Amino acid sequence: MSMIRHFSGQDIVMMEQRSRAAFINSLSGFKSVSLVGTINNLGQTNLSIFNSVIHIGANPALIGMIIRPNSVNRHTLENLLETNCYTINHINKDIYKKAHQTSARYPKEISEFDAVGLTPEFHSKIKSPYVKESHIKFGLQFAERHDLKINGTILIIGKVIEVFVPENCLTLDGVIDVEKAQTITTSGLDSYHSTNRLSRLTYAKPDTIPSELIEK
Amino acid sequence: MSMIRHFSGQDIVMMEQRSRAAFINSLSGFKSVSLVGTINNLGQTNLSIFNSVIHIGANPALIGMIIRPNSVNRHTLENLLETNCYTINHINKDIYKKAHQTSARYPKEISEFDAVGLTPEFHSKIKSPYVKESHIKFGLQFAERHDLKINGTILIIGKVIEVFVPENCLTLDGVIDVEKAQTITTSGLDSYHSTNRLSRLTYAKPDTIPSELIEK
């Protein structure tokens, strides 16, 4: 690595607004990137790209995401509170440009599915639309909301109520091979990346060193 | 892709506990993976791997993470509440096995820095230790806490008070090139991946289609 550059809190405050957004958005490293599908009670669908989806817990099965209520996310928030449900759909290399385009500020009466050319897919357990072109997708029921006082964003937690996964991406120990499913990752605000597995490591215990895990 | 397998909420509840943990931890796709460094008021350091670090906002500069208080994360929580500060350190290919090993359940009097062979590095603005071998790292001041009622985990939000980045990973528009800094990503509970940038895309607007952004 080259010389290390130091930025103080004051340096960050003084950055031009868009540079600061790009800089701070880079700090959390690689992020999940997914499409969140919702519908309102009038049957109007919405699709929005999120890079803040996180694991909250496995039992019960909970996934969280941060919503910025004044951003293009606002229709997602309105719809999921109206219907109590939403879908999360992984993004693969074939659809990432269309997925990125859902972040444009379309008026509420335009569905991003139509605008960007992705296909809504409906299943019986949940009203919300899935993305047909997505390989791994799951449906959620709204479960808990936390309003973050410090900047007005909202943590939405949902309970996983169904999951769709390609059969050949399931391993015997429960892991879904998201790389095999061609799921991609993102960094910053606009950079998309495919991945190469380095290895899976064995469960860490104090008196052993981790070794590479061989899948059954 | 192959045949699609469907899992209902009931299928998930019925999974064997470790398989369910692996399965649900795979759903959020690729995740950030970082080392969180803390120290207590007695000078005892702690280092813990986290895969739940997320961007909360750029102005003020805020980063969140989910802590499981009954897990190996508990010393991180105790220390950061005691000193009001902590560091987040990106993980690269050279140190990921050592980083993974910090998830072993060491007793409180053992520092994971010593146990796994990483080097604590101290700077004047913050008491907490950084990881010398990490290429991108930043210091935080504890800012806000949300206890998630649904499963007893905790969202900790910190304000970024300083950042260290290799000079050659900074781009003119503020983005930090985390791939160039060799930062890696993770999936599930134990899988580590390097990345290949597909492209950066231009800011999305309703009446244009995104194109590949050329860095200045």
Side-chain angles (χ1 to χ4, degrees), chain A residues 1-9 12 19-32 52-63 66 68 90 93 96-97 100-101 103-106 125 135 138 143-144 146-151 153 155 157 160-170 173-176 178-185 187 190-202 204-206 208-210 212-213, chain B residues 1-9 12 19-32 52-63 66 68 90 93 96-97 100-101 103-106 125 135 138 143-144 146-151 153 155 157 160-170 173-176 178-185 187 190-202 204-206 208-210 212-213:
Chain A
M1 289 288 116
S2 71
M3 286 281 296
I4 300 298
R5 177 96 169 269
H6 177 262
F7 294 86
S8 69
I12 295 167
S19 295
R20 181 175 50 229
F23 184 80
I24 300 298
N25 267 280
S26 306
L27 286 184
S28 51
F30 290 100
K31 301 183 257 204
S32 70
S52 63
V53 167
I54 44 165
H55 175 81
I56 298 288
N59 189 22
L62 301 169
I63 302 284
I66 301 292
R68 289 160 224 291
H90 283 208
K93 210 193 288 196
Y96 81 99
K97 291 184 183 176
H100 183 77
Q101 182 61 15
S103 64
R105 204 173 263 270
Y106 292 107
K125 284 233 173 136
H135 300 152
F138 49 103
E144 192 168 306
H146 288 267
D147 289 50
L148 311 185
K149 290 173 219 77
I150 198 155
N151 72 347
T153 58
L155 170 65
I157 300 173
V160 178
I161 58 170
E162 65 174 343
V163 178
F164 296 89
V165 189
E167 186 81 45
N168 67 351
C169 299
L170 287 163
D173 57 3
V175 166
I176 304 166
V178 296
E179 184 168 288
K180 194 169 180 188
Q182 299 166 16
T183 296
I184 62 166
T185 178
S187 68
D190 55 22
S191 187
Y192 297 90
H193 310 253
S194 63
T195 62
N196 292 311
R197 180 182 282 170
L198 298 166
S199 68
R200 285 185 62 193
L201 297 179
T202 51
K205 293 175 186 171
T208 57
I209 47 167
E212 301 197 356
L213 189 149
Chain B
M1 288 286 117
S2 71
M3 285 282 296
I4 300 298
R5 177 96 168 267
H6 177 264
F7 294 86
S8 67
I12 295 168
S19 296
R20 183 175 47 230
F23 184 81
I24 300 298
N25 267 281
S26 306
L27 286 184
S28 52
F30 290 101
K31 302 182 257 204
S32 71
S52 63
V53 167
I54 44 166
H55 175 79
I56 298 289
N59 188 23
L62 302 169
I63 301 285
I66 302 291
R68 288 158 225 290
H90 283 207
K93 210 194 287 196
Y96 82 98
K97 290 183 184 177
H100 182 78
Q101 182 62 15
S103 65
R105 204 173 263 271
Y106 292 106
K125 285 235 172 137
H135 301 152
F138 49 104
E144 191 168 308
H146 288 267
D147 290 50
L148 311 185
K149 290 173 219 80
I150 198 156
N151 72 347
T153 58
L155 169 65
I157 299 172
V160 178
I161 57 170
E162 65 175 343
V163 178
F164 297 89
V165 189
E167 186 81 45
N168 67 352
C169 299
L170 286 162
D173 58 2
V175 167
I176 304 166
V178 297
E179 184 169 287
K180 193 169 180 188
Q182 299 166 15
T183 296
I184 61 167
T185 179
S187 67
D190 54 23
S191 186
Y192 297 90
H193 310 254
S194 62
T195 61
N196 291 311
R197 180 183 282 169
L198 298 167
S199 68
R200 285 185 63 192
L201 297 179
T202 51
K205 292 176 186 171
T208 57
I209 48 168
E212 302 198 357
L213 188 150

Side-chain angles (χ1 to χ4, degrees), chain B residues 87-99:
Chain B
T87 69
I88 295 182
N89 307 266
H90 283 207
I91 296 170
N92 55 63
K93 210 194 287 196
D94 296 337
I95 61 171
Y96 82 98
K97 290 183 184 177
K98 291 176 176 183

Side-chain angles (χ1 to χ4, degrees), chain A residues 2-194:
Chain A
S2 71
M3 286 281 296
I4 300 298
R5 177 96 169 269
H6 177 262
F7 294 86
S8 69
Q10 187 59 18
D11 292 335
I12 295 167
V13 168
M14 297 296 286
M15 282 178 184
E16 185 274 320
Q17 188 188 335
R18 283 202 289 186
S19 295
R20 181 175 50 229
F23 184 80
I24 300 298
N25 267 280
S26 306
L27 286 184
S28 51
F30 290 100
K31 301 183 257 204
S32 70
V33 61
S34 327
L35 285 163
V36 176
T38 55
I39 193 167
N40 67 13
N41 284 336
L42 300 171
Q44 172 71 48
T45 59
N46 185 279
L47 191 64
S48 190
I49 192 167
F50 276 76
N51 63 13
S52 63
V53 167
I54 44 165
H55 175 81
I56 298 288
N59 189 22
L62 301 169
I63 302 284
M65 60 188 186
I66 301 292
I67 297 196
R68 289 160 224 291
N70 299 322
S71 75
V72 291
N73 298 162
R74 69 196 183 286
H75 299 150
T76 300
L77 180 65
E78 287 166 19
N79 290 353
L80 80 82
L81 293 176
E82 199 171 305
T83 60
N84 239 14
C85 57
Y86 52 109
T87 69
I88 296 182
N89 306 268
H90 283 208
I91 296 171
N92 55 63
K93 210 193 288 196
D94 296 337
I95 61 170
Y96 81 99
K97 291 184 183 176
K98 292 176 176 183
H100 183 77
Q101 182 61 15
T102 66
S103 64
R105 204 173 263 270
Y106 292 107
K108 184 150 189 179
E109 61 277 14
I110 300 219
S111 171
E112 290 80 3
F113 279 103
D114 301 333
V116 311
L118 289 168
T119 316
E121 177 182 86
F122 293 93
H123 292 282
S124 60
K125 284 233 173 136
I126 197 172
K127 277 180 85 163
S128 323
Y130 287 94
V131 177
K132 186 167 193 282
E133 293 82 357
S134 170
H135 300 152
I136 296 176
K137 43 201 155 189
F138 49 103
L140 301 106
Q141 189 169 53
F142 168 61
E144 192 168 306
R145 168 185 178 154
H146 288 267
D147 289 50
L148 311 185
K149 290 173 219 77
I150 198 155
N151 72 347
T153 58
I154 299 168
L155 170 65
I156 292 287
I157 300 173
K159 189 172 171 196
V160 178
I161 58 170
E162 65 174 343
V163 178
F164 296 89
V165 189
E167 186 81 45
N168 67 351
C169 299
L170 287 163
T171 57
L172 283 178
D173 57 3
V175 166
I176 304 166
D177 187 336
V178 296
E179 184 168 288
K180 194 169 180 188
Q182 299 166 16
T183 296
I184 62 166
T185 178
T186 190
S187 68
L189 286 164
D190 55 22
S191 187
Y192 297 90
H193 310 253
S194 63

